[in-house]
């Protein structure tokens, strides 16, 4: 059933291995793929890994730095593998704990691990335990305990069980009387219970009736005393009166400018009014792909000098025969030392050579780390929005992008930046105002729409505005507004629909359910999570919980999750950009846009190599 089982250290030394009968291929390929893709990148949250036709299960032992890997065919369903690999780990640790606990790097090479017999026994037990056992036959009526009962055993006697029940009830009453009435009530209740046992079910005597009345009266008096001793309820404090300021004014109508335009007159078509163009924005400056994020660091000169020095040292090592690596250095050490006692003069050339080798190793490690970080930041799928919009235009349908995120991260502002970038590349945009929760959200988008139309007047585009706003006011269903906006964009031949949603916290169940409904009903082409770089790892936590909440509140078996990330306020942080790497590493989704300022042109794409260089300099 099993193709192979391998036990090796995290340093790459195989301690013991097993290969199934009839398996001719080596297990080095699948194990090396597991090491590269999972263990080196610390993606050990899931204990399974798939490589070609094999399914691998692994378990890490952090105490002794061991890795246990079992491989079997992917088409097989082996239910005992998880328990089997746990049993192998425990038995191997218990048997070789003395050898594994030794200090030094050569402990795995010196010791010999013979584990064939224990492994075979554990495998037989695991396979035997997984075989389905036959069900136990049902007992017949004659074998059950019910058949042993008779009519006589089911008849209750007059002075038997009922008398015991009554004495039990009376004993409970006596205990309650003891708690409320003191020692005298205790003696009275005991005498009552004894007489009740002697008399059985006979009627109580006159003395018993008098004693019961005394106990009842004592309970009533003590209960009333406890009620009277309770503290009175506190009175509710008086409400605070509103303070009236002397110069505060009395009317709020003077502050309402929502129905006036820039000239102070009322406009029924305020959506079409054009605001003056911003002088600091250069039109036609964002055509084509976005520019990469620029990094300016004061340490660039020092870094370049260090790199030049490392290259010179590495070149000197290669000229002096350093191609042999550490083997050449240790061979020279053996030739110099022999059997004599070392002095300081003998060690100086060796230390110089070791220093050169360590500098070369540091350069190699740094380069490998940079390549690994760049690989993490590289998107696992193609993200080319301009090309996708052209393909959607060829199919005569709009390209729909939905923006979501927590409150106050800049969703509407960056939506306007992306609108400006799309307009610069010749596309028409429809903004769907689906934030029907926050006051002023629709007015904010209307202001952006006016400014964008002032930068690209309709006269330059055949008399048609390049960006329009689709809104239905406040308090409406966001999913319905998005559906109507997409239908309107399809009829009016808009190229892109940008859906703005309300900011919400990831633990707000009603709003997360509404967002999952909006995404499931309208099926946008791209779902972007907007997070700010200023909060650091808090943005990572928000993204993870946001993604999980979308999956939990979706009604589909295959829920739609986050497709990409928009990282805002990137200009407020220094060279420490670890949050960007963490967000991409945890979710596996790319950072599509980066916001670097307040104007429409402050939008960049993330250059993975530039981010890694900035992180290494920090």
């Amino acid at each position: 059933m099993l193709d192979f089982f391998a036990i090796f250290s995290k340093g790459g030394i195989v301690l013991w291995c097993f290969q199934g009968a009839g398996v001719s291929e080596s297990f080095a390929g699948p194990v090396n793929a597991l090491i590269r893709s999972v263990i080196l990148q610390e993606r050990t949250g899931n204990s399974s890994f798939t490589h070609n036709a094999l399914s691998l299960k692994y378990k890490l032992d952090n105490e002794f730095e061991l890795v246990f890997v079992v491989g079997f065919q992917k088409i097989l369903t082996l239910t005992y593998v998880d328990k089997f690999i746990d049993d192998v780990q425990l038995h191997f640790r218990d048997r070789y704990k003395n050898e594994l606990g030794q200090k030094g790097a050569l402990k795995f090479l010196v010791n010999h691990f013979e584990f064939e017999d224990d492994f075979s026994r554990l495998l037989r037990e695991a396979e035997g335990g997984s075989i389905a056992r036959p069900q136990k036959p049902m007992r017949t009526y004659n074998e059950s305990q019910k058949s042993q009962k008779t009519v006589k055993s089911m008849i209750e006697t007059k002075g038997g069980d009922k008398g015991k029940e009554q004495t039990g009830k009376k004993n409970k009453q006596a205990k309650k009387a003891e708690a409320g009435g003191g020692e005298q009530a205790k003696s009275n209740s005991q005498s009552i219970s004894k007489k009740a046992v002697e008399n059985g079910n006979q009627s109580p005597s006159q003395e018993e009736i008098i004693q019961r009345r005394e106990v009842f009266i004592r309970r009533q008096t003590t209960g009333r005393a406890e009620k009277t001793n309770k503290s009175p309820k506190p009175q509710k404090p008086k409400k605070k009166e509103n303070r009236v300021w002397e110069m505060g004014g009395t009317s709020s109508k003077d502050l309402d400018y929502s129905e006036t335009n820039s000239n102070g007159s009322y406009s029924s078509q305020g959506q079409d009014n054009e605001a003056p163009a911003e002088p600091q924005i250069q039109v036609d400056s964002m055509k084509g792909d976005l520019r990469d994020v620029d990094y300016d660091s004061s340490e660039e000169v020092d870094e370049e000098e260090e790199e030049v020095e490392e290259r010179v040292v590495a070149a000197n090592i290669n000229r002096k025969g350093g191609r042999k690596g550490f083997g050449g250095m240790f061979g020279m050490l053996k030739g110099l030392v022999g059997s004599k006692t070392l002095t300081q003069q003998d060690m100086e050339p060796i230390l110089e050579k070791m220093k050169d080798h360590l500098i070369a190793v540091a350069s190699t490690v740094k380069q490998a780390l940079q390549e690994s970080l760049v690989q993490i930041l590289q998107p696992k799928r193609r993200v080319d929005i301009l090309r996708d919009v052209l393909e959607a235009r060829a199919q005569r349908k709009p390209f729909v992008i939905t923006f979501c995120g927590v409150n106050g991260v800049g969703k509407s502002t960056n939506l306007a930046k992306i609108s400006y970038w799309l307009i610069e590349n010749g596309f028409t945009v429809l903004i769907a105002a689906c934030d029907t929760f926050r006051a002023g959200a629709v007015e904010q988008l209307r202001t952006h729409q006016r400014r964008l139309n002032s930068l690209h007047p309709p006269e330059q585009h055949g008399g048609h505005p390049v960006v329009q706003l689709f809104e239905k006011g406040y308090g409406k269903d966001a999913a319905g507004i998005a559906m109507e906006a997409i239908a309107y964009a399809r009829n009016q031949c808009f190229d892109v629909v940008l859906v703005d949603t309300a900011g919400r916290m990831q633990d707000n169940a009603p709003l997360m359910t509404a967002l999952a409904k909006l995404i499931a009903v309208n099926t946008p082409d791209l779902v972007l999570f907007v997070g700010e770089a200023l909060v650091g790892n808090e943005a990572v936590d928000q993204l993870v919980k946001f993604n999980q909440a979308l999956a939990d509140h979706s009604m589909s078996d295959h829920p739609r999750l986050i497709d990409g990330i928009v990282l805002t306020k990137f200009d407020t942080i220094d060279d420490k950009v670890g949050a960007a790497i963490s967000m991409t590493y945890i979710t596996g989704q790319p950072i599509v846009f980066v916001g670097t300022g307040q104007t429409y042109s402050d939008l960049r794409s993330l250059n993975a190599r530039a981010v890694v260089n900035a992180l290494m300099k920090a």
Side-chain angles (χ1 to χ4, degrees), residues 90-99 114-115 118:
L90 293 176
H91 281 74
F92 192 84
R93 283 168 51 96
D94 294 341
R95 181 169 178 179
Y96 299 106
K97 59 183 178 182
N98 295 329
E99 291 82 352
E114 295 181 356
F115 197 63
D118 293 344

Side-chain angles (χ1 to χ4, degrees), residues 113-127:
F113 302 93
E114 295 181 356
F115 197 63
E116 289 80 4
D117 298 336
D118 293 344
F119 179 82
S120 301
R121 177 177 56 81
L122 293 173
L123 182 60
R124 286 195 302 270
E125 292 177 357
E127 291 178 347

Side-chain angles (χ1 to χ4, degrees), residues 396-446:
R396 296 187 177 181
K397 65 176 184 178
F399 186 80
V400 183
I401 304 176
T402 300
F403 296 83
C404 58
V406 299
N407 308 76
V409 294
K411 291 185 297 298
S412 301
T413 303
N414 284 273
L415 181 145
K417 293 181 183 179
I418 296 173
S419 300
Y420 179 72
W421 174 62
L422 292 170
I423 293 169
E424 289 276 293
N425 286 276
F427 299 114
T428 56
V429 179
L430 179 67
I431 301 175
C434 296
D435 185 357
T436 61
F437 187 77
R438 176 174 63 90
V442 178
E443 288 76 11
Q444 181 183 7
L445 292 177
R446 182 176 290 117

